[in-house]
Amino acid sequence: MNNLKKISKFLLIFFIILIFNLIFSPINGDEVWNYGFANNLYQGLIPYKDFNMVLTPFYPFLMSIPFYVFGSNMLIFHITNALLITGCFILLDKDYKDKMWIILLFCFFPINYSFPTYNMFLYVLLCTILFLENNYVKDENIFIHYIIGFILGITFLTKQTVGGCLVLVSLYYIKDFKIILKRFIGFLIPITIFIIYILFNNAWKEFIDLCILGLIDFSGNQQGFSLNLLFYVVMIFIIFKKIKKDKNNITLYYVLAFFSIAIPIVDAYHTAYCFLSFLLIILKDFKKKYFHYHILSTFSIIFLGLLTLNFNKGFPLKNYPNDINHFKYRFINEESYYFTKDISEFLEENASKKIIFLSSNAYYFKIINDLPCTYLDLINRGNWGYNGSEKLLKKVKEAASNKAIFILDPDETIGFKQTDKQALNYVIKNGKKIKSIKLYDIYTFE
């Protein structure tokens, strides 16, 4: 009976995550980019060489694996994500019991952070490392340090900055050289495989440019002082206070290291992942028990979903599932659906011409039309390596001289957005506007 209850509990978590992300939650850029990276790998493209990423590539490689069995589409992508997060909560259940429902709630509040992205996967890896550190290291399991080192290697290959900071915890906290050596050997296994892959595909120069030198340009996305930054600093202050009182608590060190996930962009989105990790500390000390943890969280998540539907202009089943390629079971509201159809029709009419999307939605339109994604489909600042804005502008000028058609959203030139504005402003200033399709303007240089 207890096993049946546990299975039912985790099935509930799985379906909450899956249904909320597929149907209740509006589609977002990070979700599409992460799916796009995985789809690129499935299509045989080489990261850094054929398309640009500023991260080490383990997450898209992992998420692409089910595509070889079931095909590439958003449904499979979201099922894989829901399985990974559910697995994380199976581990959290051992250490936090019913308090894990509070963590689940904050995966969706104040906005949804549980959608498929390498950031959520990093949180899964953090919880896995803490589970092993707190439950198996003391048992002196002969393989445990190799396993922890291996997972630290995977973390490094998911986001090099976060993985590097988590590795520092082992170097600082653990004094036994033999243990450090075991972890280092485990760490080297995935790292060595990655190095061989990069060298074999002759993509090491591009990797260094995008993932190391490009961090200089990426720092320009920082928004300055904000309430998010204040909250971020307060949480760090509290962690340091706790470390001062309990210097032997390895969880504190790992959570502090995980806060590097928000650097250099300490915005609401990245700060929320810091808060999720901060809960791993706070809930450990939270002694008071509430019998209805799971009821509170489940109904809160359902309420948030219904509230989201209101913002999405109506009940999604009105046009769900849709007939959009790769996105059939992903909720897309009616307005976006018809906008997608209009853009796809324009692409079909101009199939013989070179069309470039200078937009944060480029991946979306390329994927649904089965067009290969290239560097020009991700034009966020910091995503083109060192001195990336000038590289991007040069490519745009080359495409313009070859009479390419440019599609862009003029609103992306206004306010704080990650899109590189220099390239957009060049097209707007020097190109000829020939047409508008809702929020998009279309330019040519003929």
Side-chain angles (χ1 to χ4, degrees):
M1 183 61 73
N2 285 336
N3 287 337
L4 185 59
K5 283 181 68 176
K6 281 198 171 186
I7 292 171
S8 300
K9 176 167 61 177
F10 294 120
L11 279 175
L12 174 62
I13 291 174
F14 171 79
F15 282 111
I16 286 174
I17 295 166
L18 180 62
I19 293 171
F20 194 97
N21 284 307
L22 272 179
I23 302 177
F24 288 167
S25 180
I27 198 166
N28 66 78
D30 278 336
E31 173 190 352
V32 174
W33 288 327
N34 279 281
Y35 170 66
F37 296 153
N39 186 61
N40 287 347
L41 293 170
Y42 173 66
Q43 297 296 335
L45 301 182
I46 307 299
Y48 316 118
K49 197 168 186 178
D50 297 326
F51 64 96
N52 48 337
M53 294 193 309
V54 294
L55 300 166
T56 35
F58 183 82
Y59 182 69
F61 269 113
L62 175 67
M63 298 299 282
S64 71
I65 292 172
F67 296 166
Y68 293 94
V69 179
F70 303 103
S72 174
N73 60 72
M74 266 288 183
L75 176 62
I76 299 303
F77 189 60
H78 276 275
I79 289 174
T80 306
N81 175 67
L83 287 171
L84 288 171
I85 299 176
T86 302
C88 176
F89 277 93
I90 291 174
L91 301 183
L92 289 172
D93 181 59
K94 181 174 178 63
D95 290 334
Y96 293 88
K97 306 304 179 186
D98 278 349
K99 288 184 285 187
M100 72 165 187
W101 292 99
I102 299 301
I103 299 174
L104 180 66
L105 174 59
F106 279 102
C107 286
F108 301 91
F109 178 83
I111 60 176
N112 180 25
Y113 306 105
S114 68
F115 60 87
T117 171
Y118 61 86
N119 287 309
M120 193 64 206
F121 181 61
L122 283 168
Y123 184 76
V124 171
L125 291 174
L126 172 68
C127 292
T128 304
I129 292 168
L130 291 176
F131 174 77
L132 295 174
E133 292 279 15
N134 292 320
N135 292 284
Y136 289 96
V137 168
K138 292 178 182 178
D139 295 339
E140 298 183 357
N141 184 301
I142 190 171
F143 295 112
I144 191 62
H145 295 294
Y146 294 106
I147 295 170
I148 291 174
F150 183 83
I151 296 174
L152 285 170
I154 288 174
T155 307
F156 186 87
L157 292 179
T158 301
K159 188 173 184 179
Q160 60 273 34
T161 52
V162 176
C165 289
L166 292 179
V167 168
L168 289 176
V169 173
S170 284
L171 294 177
Y172 174 80
Y173 184 86
I174 296 171
K175 309 303 180 185
D176 190 325
F177 177 75
K178 290 182 180 179
I179 292 177
I180 292 176
L181 182 60
K182 289 177 182 179
R183 294 189 177 202
F184 183 67
I185 293 171
F187 176 83
L188 279 182
I189 294 171
I191 300 299
T192 302
I193 294 171
F194 169 69
I195 291 172
I196 293 171
Y197 174 83
I198 288 295
L199 292 175
F200 179 79
N201 288 288
N202 196 28
W204 62 273
K205 289 181 180 178
E206 292 85 353
F207 167 74
I208 291 172
D209 184 35
L210 288 167
C211 295
I212 300 175
L213 301 178
L215 293 176
I216 299 171
D217 281 17
F218 195 79
S219 62
N221 288 325
Q222 176 58 262
Q223 300 180 57
F225 179 79
S226 65
L227 289 176
N228 303 314
L229 180 58
L230 178 62
F231 184 45
Y232 179 80
V233 171
V234 168
M235 287 190 291
I236 290 177
F237 176 76
I238 293 172
I239 294 172
F240 271 114
K241 291 269 288 184
K242 287 183 172 293
I243 288 175
K244 190 175 180 180
K245 293 180 180 179
D246 187 4
K247 293 182 180 179
N248 295 319
N249 187 344
I250 197 169
T251 298
L252 297 172
Y253 295 92
Y254 273 121
V255 170
L256 181 62
F258 187 78
F259 269 53
S260 60
I261 196 172
I263 297 173
I265 307 177
V266 188
D267 58 3
Y269 171 69
H270 290 89
T271 305
Y273 287 106
C274 295
F275 179 68
L276 283 179
S277 67
F278 188 67
L279 283 174
L280 299 175
I281 297 171
I282 299 302
L283 291 178
K284 275 284 186 181
D285 301 329
F286 194 57
K287 303 296 183 184
K288 193 172 182 179
K289 295 182 179 179
Y290 291 98
F291 181 73
H292 297 299
Y293 271 138
H294 58 294
I295 296 177
L296 168 67
S297 292
T298 304
F299 279 96
S300 296
I301 292 164
I302 292 172
F303 174 75
L304 287 170
L306 294 173
L307 190 63
T308 303
L309 293 184
N310 183 53
F311 287 119
N312 280 319
K313 300 179 182 179
F315 194 73
L317 294 184
K318 181 178 179 181
N319 63 320
Y320 184 87
N322 58 63
D323 60 351
I324 296 176
N325 189 28
H326 295 286
F327 289 76
K328 182 177 180 181
Y329 293 100
R330 182 63 175 93
F331 168 58
I332 296 173
N333 66 40
E334 192 172 8
E335 183 180 353
S336 298
Y337 172 82
Y338 287 111
F339 176 54
T340 297
K341 289 295 184 179
D342 289 341
I343 295 296
S344 295
E345 184 179 342
F346 177 82
L347 292 177
E348 188 176 345
E349 291 171 354
N350 295 273
S352 61
K353 299 177 182 178
K354 175 70 174 177
I355 297 177
I356 295 172
F357 286 91
L358 291 181
S359 164
S360 57
N361 292 322
Y363 257 70
Y364 171 72
F365 288 108
K366 283 295 196 71
I367 289 168
I368 64 175
N369 287 283
D370 287 324
L371 298 172
C373 293
T374 68
Y375 268 65
L376 281 169
D377 298 313
L378 185 55
I379 59 170
N380 289 352
R381 287 194 306 275
N383 280 265
W384 274 67
Y386 181 68
N387 202 19
S389 287
E390 295 307 315
K391 292 178 185 174
L392 171 59
L393 184 59
K394 182 181 178 182
K395 285 290 184 181
V396 167
K397 287 180 178 179
E398 288 176 3
S401 66
N402 291 323
K403 299 181 180 180
I405 295 174
F406 293 88
I407 302 177
L408 57 86
D409 178 1
D411 285 346
E412 292 193 48
T413 64
I414 303 168
F416 179 84
K417 291 183 173 68
Q418 291 188 56
T419 307
D420 192 304
K421 296 183 178 65
Q422 182 176 238
L424 272 67
N425 287 328
Y426 173 82
V427 172
I428 292 171
K429 183 178 179 181
N430 298 283
K432 178 184 177 183
K433 181 179 173 181
I434 58 172
K435 187 176 182 179
S436 291
I437 301 178
K438 294 182 180 173
L439 58 87
Y440 276 168
D441 291 338
I442 301 174
Y443 287 82
T444 183
F445 282 78
E446 292 184 357

